[in-house]
Amino acid sequence: MHAALVRLAGHLPLRFLHAVGGLAGRLAYRFSAGYRHKIDHFSAHAGHTEPAFRRAAVMQGGKALAEIPWMWTQPSTVTTARMTATGWDAVERAHAAGKGILFMTPHLGCFEGAAQYYAVHGGPITVLYSPPRQPWLRKIVDSARARANLHTAPATLAGVRQLAKALKRGEAVGILPDQVPGPNEGIWAEFFGQAAYTMTLPAKLQLLTGATVVLAYAERLEKGRGFCVHFYAHDEAFTNDTLDQARTINRAMERLIAIQPTQYMWGYNRFKVPAGVNPPPADLTTQRAAKERKA
């Protein structure tokens, strides 16, 4: 039943889905105190306190969820026909380097769209993802992402090895670095002024393979017109210091989000303490000093 509803929604016009999603986002913000608190708290720390900003952000958040069935069920020829791109020269330079491309994309705009666009116009790409817990949804996700040139890797050790192999073949991989990692897979680092448990996997893969890092996100256009995928070269080199790696990743994500802040998923529980992870230190500089003493 659930799968049938997702497939049905995926065949509705994108403009209609965005209209319904925008309304649903506003209703969720009004009637869910927990959701409202997350958005208000997170966006305020990022410097966005205006009521007009929050109204726009909650509508964009609803649109992001409503467009997923369309992105999943429509063929890539249909979805990417509604996309344009800027900054493709950054991708071409990465191709010329011949070391593979590591795309970093936050929960900004249509984060499903950037990978689909590259798979059609660039070549093979393997995307890291956490499989849904619900069996019916897992089947839909697996079939939806089984597209030409688009492969998936689970967020496990085997999946990480799959990413490394793809990069060593000179292919592309995609990671959402603002996804909260599991225990022993991240470190606490500042994100918009708050302690966020942050993955360092992109940095480790880049240092291992020499891949070129490219930042990307798909901007959602108004009135269901589609998306514009933006690509940016990432020029800040990673060091071997784990905390520096996390901070570099978070700074890159902050810069991308600042370009189109209303389209970030401010309701995502970015600052949660994952099970099995110690809470963040009261002062992250204490963590830095401890690392330096050990070195």
Side-chain angles (χ1 to χ4, degrees):
M1 182 64 176
H2 296 93
L5 289 175
V6 170
R7 293 189 178 93
L8 175 62
H11 287 82
L12 295 173
L14 183 60
R15 181 170 183 171
F16 176 79
L17 290 172
H18 280 172
V20 172
L23 176 61
R26 294 186 67 176
L27 291 174
Y29 180 80
R30 180 174 181 180
F31 293 108
S32 173
Y35 182 62
R36 184 167 59 251
H37 173 75
K38 289 176 188 174
I39 290 179
D40 290 352
H41 179 77
F42 190 178
S43 61
H45 268 275
H48 303 293
T49 58
E50 310 87 351
F53 175 88
R54 287 177 179 163
R55 284 195 297 271
V58 298
M59 290 181 68
Q60 291 292 342
K63 292 178 181 180
L65 295 177
E67 72 198 11
I68 288 177
W70 187 83
M71 294 297 301
W72 282 353
T73 58
Q74 294 295 323
S76 296
T77 52
V78 174
T79 58
T80 57
R82 304 284 290 275
M83 299 181 192
T84 57
T86 67
W88 188 252
D89 57 315
V91 178
E92 292 178 336
R93 290 195 298 272
H95 273 300
K99 295 288 188 178
I101 307 175
L102 197 160
F103 287 106
M104 295 201 301
T105 300
H107 287 81
L108 178 66
C110 180
F111 42 89
E112 292 273 349
Q116 288 193 23
Y117 185 89
Y118 179 83
V120 171
H121 297 279
I125 180 171
T126 303
V127 179
L128 185 72
Y129 84 113
S130 298
R133 294 180 180 178
Q134 302 89 339
W136 67 269
L137 184 56
R138 185 177 302 177
K139 290 181 180 179
I140 293 176
V141 172
D142 289 344
S143 62
R145 290 175 172 165
R147 299 166 183 257
N149 279 345
L150 180 56
H151 314 288
T152 56
T156 62
L157 181 58
V160 172
R161 289 172 177 161
Q162 188 177 338
L163 296 181
K165 289 179 180 178
L167 290 173
K168 290 177 179 179
R169 292 194 300 267
E171 297 176 0
V173 303
I175 298 177
L176 276 70
D178 59 341
Q179 188 88 32
V180 179
N184 303 316
E185 297 174 355
I187 189 171
W188 291 103
E190 306 92 331
F191 186 56
F192 285 113
Q194 297 183 82
Y197 195 61
T198 303
M199 68 169 66
T200 57
L201 176 60
K204 297 187 186 312
L205 285 172
Q206 194 281 324
L207 292 171
L208 175 67
T209 65
T212 302
V213 179
V214 176
L215 310 179
Y217 81 97
E219 175 190 359
R220 184 177 305 108
L221 304 179
E222 292 298 318
K223 299 180 180 180
R225 290 187 290 117
F227 309 91
C228 182
V229 187
H230 302 280
F231 297 97
Y232 302 89
H234 176 67
D235 298 324
E236 191 173 359
F238 290 119
T239 70
N240 289 313
D241 182 276
T242 304
L243 185 54
D244 279 343
Q245 292 171 0
R247 285 171 166 165
T248 298
I249 290 169
N250 283 346
R251 282 194 297 269
M253 296 303 96
E254 289 173 357
R255 288 194 295 270
L256 270 189
I257 294 165
I259 298 171
Q260 200 77 37
T262 60
Q263 293 197 15
Y264 188 64
M265 295 190 71
W266 298 103
Y268 176 58
N269 195 6
R270 180 67 185 90
F271 303 103
K272 68 180 180 180
V273 179
V277 174
N278 291 326
D283 185 352
L284 285 176
T285 59
T286 303
Q287 185 179 19
R288 162 60 73 183
K291 285 176 65 66
E292 290 176 348
R293 284 196 297 272
K294 289 180 181 180

